[in-house]
């Protein structure tokens, strides 16, 4: 891999970067229609059992995750051959997923361009400090970072903050652009109309026990998937100018090998290494690339069990000396050693 140049590997994957309009439309149908049906069934189940309602919410949340993957493909221009088709789908699915399409699209493109780059962290990613940065930080800065990286905060509070609060405001990367601000405002307008429609047609109880839990659970799954596909012990990190796109994809992203049902429900996002290598490949072609292109088989494979271990492991700081993620225990051990020598 060290010797491969773009002209060596791009021809291997380029044939797969062609969307099929009929197949894409079929994905929209087999995702959106079950989602709407599950929402209606969960609404009806409120009169029978709250537990049954929440169970249906969980299944619906997985379909909402799948819908986001379609929005995600549209954001890369890989779902339909025409830009306007991608943008139309992206905007309206963004209302359903709470993710303002153009705002997210801009920061996510930055994530792809800088993933694993130590000099360009902090946009569209889960921020990772280096061990040296943490050791030099003030106690308050270290405390804030520990809170941010705490699994409870990340996976249980994160969905509320990210999807329900922060995406309602045109903040952060690209917020000065009128297209981003307009995207957020228009998404919020359509979202307000959607919420009003749910209350009028189904009632406040459905909003509280069906709509909001579906959004919350989908957000939790989404953050979990994104986290475990980049935050593993041997994840690739490098400074400019040594940073390489191919290595960032193959060594900085995992192949999350999920059971077939979950692979389908998550829109093949487990083939994350391939997606980072070539984001123009539609999600439905990713399994074929994994099967047919030897180049992508070097990426670290992670099972669902491994993913849960990664999510709750003490791996939060990149140690540039060992080129591995280490934990707060190691950092605090070094801080104690430093204090003892002082």
């Amino acid at each position: 891999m060290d010797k491969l140049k773009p002209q060596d590997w791009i021809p291997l994957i380029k044939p797969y970067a062609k969307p099929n309009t009929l197949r894409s439309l079929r994905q929209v149908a087999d995702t959106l229609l079950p989602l709407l049906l599950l929402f209606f069934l969960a609404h009806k189940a409120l009169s029978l059992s709250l537990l049954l309602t929440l169970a249906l919410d969980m299944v619906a949340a997985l379909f909402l995750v799948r819908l986001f993957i379609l929005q995600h493909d549209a954001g890369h221009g890989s779902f339909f051959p025409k830009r306007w088709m991608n943008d139309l789908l992206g905007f309206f699915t963004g209302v359903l997923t709470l993710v303002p399409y153009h705002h997210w699209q801009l920061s996510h493109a930055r994530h792809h361009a800088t993933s694993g780059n130590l000099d360009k962290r902090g946009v569209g990613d889960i921020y990772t400090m280096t061990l040296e940065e943490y050791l030099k930080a003030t106690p308050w800065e270290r405390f804030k970072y520990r809170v941010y990286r705490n699994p409870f905060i990340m996976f249980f509070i994160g969905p509320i903050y990210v999807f329900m609060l922060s995406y309602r405001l045109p903040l952060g990367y690209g917020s000065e652009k009128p297209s981003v601000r307009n995207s957020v405002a228009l998404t919020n307008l359509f979202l307000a109309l959607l919420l009003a429609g749910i209350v009028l047609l189904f009632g406040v109880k459905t909003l509280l026990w069906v709509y909001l839990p579906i959004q919350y659970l989908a957000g939790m799954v989404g953050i979990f998937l994104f986290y475990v596909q980049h935050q593993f012990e041997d994840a690739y990190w490098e400074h400019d100018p040594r940073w390489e796109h191919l290595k960032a994809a193959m060594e900085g992203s995992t192949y999350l090998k999920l059971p077939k049902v979950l692979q389908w429900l998550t829109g093949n996002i487990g083939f994350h290494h391939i997606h980072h290598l070539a984001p123009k490949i539609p999600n439905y072609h990713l399994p074929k690339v994994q099967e047919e292109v030897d180049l992508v088989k070097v990426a670290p494979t992670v099972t669902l069990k491994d993913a849960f271990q990664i999510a709750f492991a003490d791996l939060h700081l990149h140690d540039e000396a060992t080129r591995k993620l280490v934990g707060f225990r190691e950092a605090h051990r070094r801080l104690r050693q430093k204090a003892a020598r002082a």
Side-chain angles (χ1 to χ4, degrees):
M1 185 176 294
D2 289 333
K3 297 178 181 179
L4 285 179
K5 296 179 180 180
Q7 58 264 35
D8 297 322
W9 58 262
I10 287 178
L12 299 176
I13 58 173
K14 190 174 181 180
Y16 302 93
K18 295 178 181 178
N20 181 310
T21 300
L22 288 178
R23 192 165 181 181
S24 295
L25 288 172
R26 189 165 68 244
Q27 277 201 329
V28 174
D30 67 27
T31 304
L32 187 57
L33 294 179
L35 175 60
L36 296 176
L37 176 61
L38 285 162
F39 179 91
F40 181 74
L41 291 176
H43 160 71
K44 287 294 186 182
L46 279 171
S47 61
L48 301 173
S49 164
L50 183 58
L51 287 178
L52 176 59
T53 298
L54 293 175
L56 290 167
D57 288 347
M58 184 66 244
V59 180
L62 292 173
F63 275 91
L64 189 61
V65 170
R66 179 172 166 85
L67 187 68
F68 173 76
I69 299 305
L70 308 192
Q71 177 188 349
H72 170 265
D73 272 18
H76 285 292
S78 65
F79 201 61
F80 290 118
K82 301 291 185 180
R83 179 175 176 176
W84 70 266
M85 298 172 72
N86 286 303
D87 289 347
L88 187 65
L89 176 72
F91 174 77
F92 283 106
T93 53
V95 175
L96 298 177
T97 63
L98 304 182
V99 180
Y101 175 65
H102 288 294
H103 185 15
W104 168 86
Q105 185 183 41
L106 193 65
S107 63
H108 189 67
R110 172 78 174 182
H111 162 66
H112 270 263
T114 62
S115 181
N117 190 320
L118 286 168
D119 299 316
K120 297 174 181 176
R121 287 165 286 163
V123 177
D125 61 6
I126 292 172
Y127 182 69
T128 304
M129 292 181 76
T130 68
L131 176 60
E132 190 64 25
E133 288 169 343
Y134 186 83
L135 295 177
K136 291 179 179 178
T138 65
W140 174 241
E141 289 169 336
R142 291 198 293 267
F143 173 75
K144 288 192 297 182
Y145 185 69
R146 288 198 306 273
V147 170
Y148 167 66
R149 297 288 296 218
N150 182 281
F152 177 81
I153 300 296
M154 182 73 66
F155 302 120
F156 295 96
I157 305 300
I160 297 173
Y161 173 75
V162 173
F163 294 97
M164 298 181 185
L165 298 178
S166 70
Y167 275 142
R168 306 283 63 82
L169 299 170
L171 301 175
Y173 184 73
S175 59
E176 74 285 355
K177 296 179 180 293
S179 62
V180 168
R181 303 180 74 86
N182 292 340
S183 171
V184 173
L186 197 57
T187 299
N188 288 344
L189 174 61
F190 274 76
L191 179 58
L193 293 173
L194 174 64
L195 296 179
I198 290 173
V199 171
L200 289 173
L201 292 173
F202 301 103
V204 174
K205 192 175 180 180
T206 296
L207 179 72
L208 296 177
W209 289 106
V210 180
Y211 177 81
L212 290 178
I214 289 172
Q215 293 291 351
Y216 177 74
L217 292 167
M220 187 186 298
V221 173
I223 291 174
F224 173 83
L225 290 170
F226 188 71
Y227 186 93
V228 301
Q229 291 181 317
H230 291 290
Q231 297 290 320
F232 53 98
E233 185 177 10
D234 297 313
Y236 174 86
W237 289 96
E238 187 57 89
H239 286 284
D240 282 332
R242 295 187 299 274
W243 181 88
E244 297 179 33
H245 175 75
L246 179 60
K247 285 190 174 183
M250 292 298 105
E251 300 175 19
S253 307
T254 59
Y255 165 31
L256 179 56
K257 194 172 185 179
L258 296 170
K260 290 294 184 181
V261 173
L262 289 180
Q263 179 182 313
W264 186 87
L265 284 167
T266 56
N268 294 318
I269 198 62
F271 299 96
H272 209 60
H273 56 305
I274 304 172
H275 171 66
H276 263 268
L277 183 64
K280 288 291 186 181
I281 297 177
N283 73 84
Y284 43 79
H285 288 331
L286 296 176
K288 195 173 183 181
V289 179
Q290 180 66 29
E291 181 182 336
E292 297 179 353
V293 181
D294 290 338
L295 170 71
V296 306
K297 296 178 181 179
V298 300
T301 300
V302 171
T303 65
L304 188 57
K305 180 181 177 181
D306 297 331
F308 278 103
Q309 291 174 344
I310 290 170
F312 295 96
D314 185 20
L315 296 171
H316 305 291
L317 302 158
H318 177 68
D319 184 357
E320 294 186 71
T322 63
R323 303 178 69 84
K324 293 179 180 292
L325 287 184
V326 297
F328 294 127
R329 285 189 294 271
E330 172 63 18
H332 292 156
R333 183 184 70 80
R334 297 202 188 187
L335 285 170
R336 289 192 297 270
Q337 289 179 341
K338 184 179 179 180
R341 289 194 299 266

